[in-house]
Amino acid sequence: MPIPAPNLYPDFNVVRLSHVHLNVQDLTASKKFYTEILGLQISDEDDKNLYLRAMEERFHHCIILTQNSDEVSDAPPDIPSVQTVAFKTYDEDDLDKAYAYFQSKNRPVAWVERPYQGRTLQTSDCHDMPIEFFHKMDKMPAIHQQYQLYRGVKPLRIDHVNYFSYHADESVAFWSDFGFRVTEYTEDEATKRVWAAWLHRKGGVHDVAFTNGVGPRLHHIAFWVPTPLNIIDLLDLMSTTGYLENIERGPGRHGISNAFFLYITDPDGHRIEIYCSDYSTVDPDLEPIKWDLTDPQRQTLWGAPAPRSWFEEGSVFHGVTPRKSDLKASPIIAP
């Protein structure tokens, strides 16, 4: 199935990925991990919620952590769960345009109240995966030159999310229609179906990606860091502070995106990518790069395959039942 042509004049304008809201089993343990190991900064907190931002971010938060309970998640306690992923629009009018757009696609639409945000639209994509859009969020003082605050892996900003999709072609078509543009994709040669795709709004390789598998689920959240050396520092820190088993994959350099990477998991099993050194994609006529599913350099430029956990484990969305993919094609998996 061919990649859809980019919609350069969508019904509404999304600027970028903004934040992710995660449910956690032990807020105290998660706070330690996200602040002392990753190095995110606390914007606000109470006994049930923690709001965090990275060093270059001026908006109030890029991650929300909420203490899990029956009210916030119907997932079993040992399965990591997600409340929503949110995106910022270009202006306030885009929210009304988005409301009309998703309503025209027969998706549920509702205005919801969110702390520290202005009007927020709650909806879902073609696979019932929750999405939120907003324009206004409380601003915070700049801290990117307060070097005494830098710790952990020194995260600068949230970069992207990757989803498991049970039908990647459908996901790509749906998100492309409201302005997300494909930069790279993996095609299964036998079926000509998309196995994975990377789509952007902000001019990097991706704000969102879709990977074939049981979905919809959240595969990972990625944070941009200054250099590959920050990743090496994080590995030294995690391996000597009780987080050795939370190192899942890497370090390495992706074939797709050319980015230097490391995959780790938080105390609940939510997967996090530490990411840097991808390339610019701002030209609207940039042609997507196609990869074959069996190319050993697709996952890692140096040829090392990903572990099986990377293809099977993910975080469920609250209230959404994942489905198995009918695409049986498989990439190279580490023994």
Side-chain angles (χ1 to χ4, degrees), residues 147-164:
Y147 291 103
Q148 74 277 12
L149 297 178
Y150 283 78
R151 58 182 181 267
V153 76
K154 300 179 180 178
L156 299 184
R157 55 189 176 271
I158 194 170
D159 187 81
H160 64 265
V161 290
N162 187 311
Y163 300 111
F164 280 116

Side-chain angles (χ1 to χ4, degrees), residues 13 103 160 239 316:
N13 192 358
Q103 192 173 48
H160 64 265
S239 64
V316 299

Side-chain angles (χ1 to χ4, degrees), residues 38-41 53-58 62 141-151 153-158 224:
L38 288 189
L40 294 174
Q41 303 295 311
R53 64 168 170 151
M55 299 305 298
E56 288 185 352
E57 292 173 332
R58 297 288 300 278
C62 68
I143 55 172
H144 63 279
Q145 291 180 327
Q146 294 188 29
Y147 291 103
Q148 74 277 12
L149 297 178
Y150 283 78
R151 58 182 181 267
V153 76
K154 300 179 180 178
L156 299 184
R157 55 189 176 271
I158 194 170
W224 178 274

Side-chain angles (χ1 to χ4, degrees), residues 51-332:
Y51 297 85
L52 302 161
R53 64 168 170 151
M55 299 305 298
E56 288 185 352
E57 292 173 332
R58 297 288 300 278
F59 274 17
H60 187 270
H61 53 266
C62 68
I63 293 290
I64 307 170
L65 304 178
T66 294
Q67 178 67 49
N68 203 4
S69 67
D70 293 340
E71 289 75 25
V72 301
S73 176
D74 51 4
D78 59 340
I79 296 179
S81 63
V82 185
Q83 292 200 34
T84 195
V85 176
F87 298 83
K88 175 177 165 55
T89 64
Y90 186 80
D91 60 29
E92 192 73 18
D93 289 343
D94 281 313
L95 293 175
D96 297 304
K97 295 173 183 177
Y99 186 103
Y101 173 85
F102 284 97
Q103 192 173 48
S104 74
K105 300 294 182 182
N106 296 317
R107 305 312 305 155
V109 287
W111 298 112
V112 293
E113 296 290 330
R114 296 289 182 252
Y116 312 104
Q117 292 176 210
R119 282 198 309 160
T120 301
L121 174 64
Q122 183 184 70
T123 184
S124 62
D125 78 349
C126 58
H127 294 162
D128 298 321
M129 185 170 65
I131 321 171
E132 292 185 0
F133 298 96
F134 74 98
H135 175 63
K136 293 180 180 178
M137 182 185 284
D138 290 357
K139 303 293 198 314
M140 302 290 285
I143 55 172
H144 63 279
Q145 291 180 327
Q146 294 188 29
Y147 291 103
Q148 74 277 12
L149 297 178
Y150 283 78
R151 58 182 181 267
V153 76
K154 300 179 180 178
L156 299 184
R157 55 189 176 271
I158 194 170
D159 187 81
H160 64 265
V161 290
N162 187 311
Y163 300 111
F164 280 116
S165 172
Y166 64 80
H167 199 302
D169 283 294
E170 293 177 353
S171 296
V172 171
F174 188 89
W175 286 70
S176 294
D177 191 61
F178 63 93
F180 282 77
R181 306 204 301 266
V182 177
T183 54
E184 306 199 29
Y185 66 102
T186 300
E187 185 176 88
D188 171 44
E189 184 63 30
T191 63
K192 301 301 181 184
R193 283 177 54 178
V194 169
W195 193 88
W198 289 254
L199 302 87
H200 81 96
R201 285 297 298 171
K202 67 179 179 298
V205 171
H206 53 320
D207 287 87
V208 300
F210 296 96
T211 298
N212 181 68
V214 176
R217 292 180 297 158
L218 181 67
H219 186 280
H220 69 260
I221 310 161
F223 292 97
W224 178 274
V225 298
T227 74
L229 290 177
N230 295 93
I231 291 176
I232 304 302
D233 287 343
L234 178 63
L235 287 163
D236 288 338
L237 178 62
M238 292 182 66
S239 64
T240 55
T241 54
Y243 294 100
L244 181 63
E245 293 184 357
N246 296 76
I247 300 170
E248 180 188 30
R249 178 187 172 199
R253 184 177 296 280
H254 284 307
I256 293 170
S257 82
N258 197 49
F260 201 84
F261 72 87
L262 173 70
Y263 291 95
I264 61 176
T265 57
D266 76 359
D268 287 270
H270 296 294
R271 182 181 291 107
I272 297 165
E273 182 182 19
I274 310 301
Y275 182 92
C276 65
S277 307
D278 67 352
Y279 58 89
S280 174
T281 61
V282 292
D283 288 341
D285 57 348
L286 193 73
E287 295 184 0
I289 298 171
K290 176 183 173 181
W291 293 79
D292 186 273
L293 184 59
T294 59
D295 187 338
Q297 292 187 301
R298 185 192 74 89
Q299 299 177 40
T300 308
L301 189 64
W302 307 334
R308 184 167 298 278
S309 62
W310 198 88
F311 299 103
E312 296 180 353
E313 296 175 8
S315 303
V316 299
F317 287 97
H318 174 57
V320 180
T321 301
R323 291 171 49 181
K324 291 183 178 179
S325 171
D326 64 356
L327 179 57
K328 304 305 180 185
S330 175
I332 301 169

